[in-house]
Amino acid sequence: MKLRAEIADIARLMADEVKAGEKAVHFGIRDAGIALKDAWRGQVTSAGLGQRLARTIRSETWPKGRHSMNAASMVWTRAPVIVNAHDTGPLIRSKDGFWLAIPLEAAGKSRSGKRPTPGEWEARTGLRLIFVYRRTGPSLLVAEARLTKHGRAAVSRSKTGRGLASVPIFLLVPQVRLKKRLDLERPSRAALNALPGAIVSRWERI
């Protein structure tokens, strides 16, 4: 009878330890996911990419509603194309194999607030873009227009053409390499390396 009581006590202790382990793993992995999310968000804002893009980075831990030795956290972004581009610094080429049109200050913005395409710009302003080839340096799309006080190209209101100038609206380049502004791999490795210690620390506090 005494032997049975001791075995029962051991079994209960073991069950309690398993529960403590499940909690430690769950909370340790959850904390690591949150820390990695915060690190990624910090990189985005430090790179000058704005709070809006930073807030697209999320973290979540599974399983929901219970603790588990198999818990897992996922850190991801709801804007993967933009974030990945700033993380890898890719070479960008035109889809049709011709030119990339980079709007200059005189182009202003489209109605949606984004950078305009040449077609959108012509439709908005009613002005026609003229291709200007340059042997050295990027070629141009220019328009015969007047410059507003904000430096934007606009239709001339003068019947005599006073104030008209050949205003560069777009730079044309065959390709451009986006500057790498993020390093998401470094904090990911750091979070993974710190995970065992975080789980043990959690276990000791339970």
Side-chain angles (χ1 to χ4, degrees):
M1 200 62 190
K2 182 178 178 181
L3 181 60
R4 288 180 182 175
E6 289 177 351
I7 292 175
D9 290 342
I10 292 172
R12 186 175 63 254
L13 289 173
M14 290 178 65
D16 290 343
E17 199 64 22
V18 168
K19 290 180 180 179
E22 290 173 342
K23 288 183 179 181
V25 170
H26 176 89
F27 288 118
I29 288 179
R30 185 202 64 177
D31 293 348
I34 293 172
L36 181 57
K37 175 194 69 177
D38 292 342
W40 282 12
R41 285 185 172 186
Q43 279 200 27
V44 170
T45 54
S46 296
L49 299 174
Q51 288 288 343
R52 184 175 180 182
L53 185 61
R55 286 194 295 270
T56 68
I57 296 172
R58 309 292 178 86
S59 68
E60 196 164 358
T61 303
W62 291 275
K64 298 289 187 180
R66 63 185 180 89
H67 305 134
S68 172
M69 290 285 192
N70 296 317
S73 277
M74 180 178 178
V75 181
W76 78 99
T77 172
R78 296 176 65 182
V81 174
I82 299 174
V83 171
N84 185 63
H86 288 292
D87 185 40
T88 60
L91 185 67
I92 302 173
R93 295 186 176 92
S94 171
K95 292 180 180 179
D96 55 18
F98 291 101
W99 302 98
L100 287 173
I102 302 174
L104 299 172
E105 184 180 358
K109 294 184 178 180
S110 66
R111 290 187 176 90
S112 63
K114 298 180 180 179
R115 294 181 177 181
T117 65
E120 290 171 343
W121 189 88
E122 286 185 325
R124 173 167 55 86
T125 62
L127 293 169
R128 184 180 178 184
L129 291 167
I130 303 168
F131 174 73
V132 176
Y133 173 75
R134 296 198 298 175
R135 181 175 297 177
T136 58
S139 295
L140 302 169
L141 288 177
V142 305
E144 294 298 316
R146 66 178 179 87
L147 285 175
T148 68
K149 62 180 180 180
H150 300 295
R152 306 290 189 262
V155 175
S156 175
R157 299 170 184 171
S158 172
K159 293 181 179 180
T160 62
R162 184 170 56 87
L164 278 179
S166 295
V167 181
I169 308 299
F170 291 90
L171 286 179
L172 298 177
V173 294
Q175 61 188 30
V176 63
R177 182 173 293 280
L178 190 65
K179 182 180 178 181
K180 179 177 169 63
R181 303 171 75 177
L182 303 174
D183 181 8
L184 303 183
E185 179 65 22
R186 177 172 48 82
S188 300
R189 289 196 304 267
L192 188 61
N193 293 335
L195 186 56
I199 292 174
V200 171
S201 177
R202 272 283 185 176
W203 206 325
E204 291 174 344
R205 299 202 305 268
I206 294 174

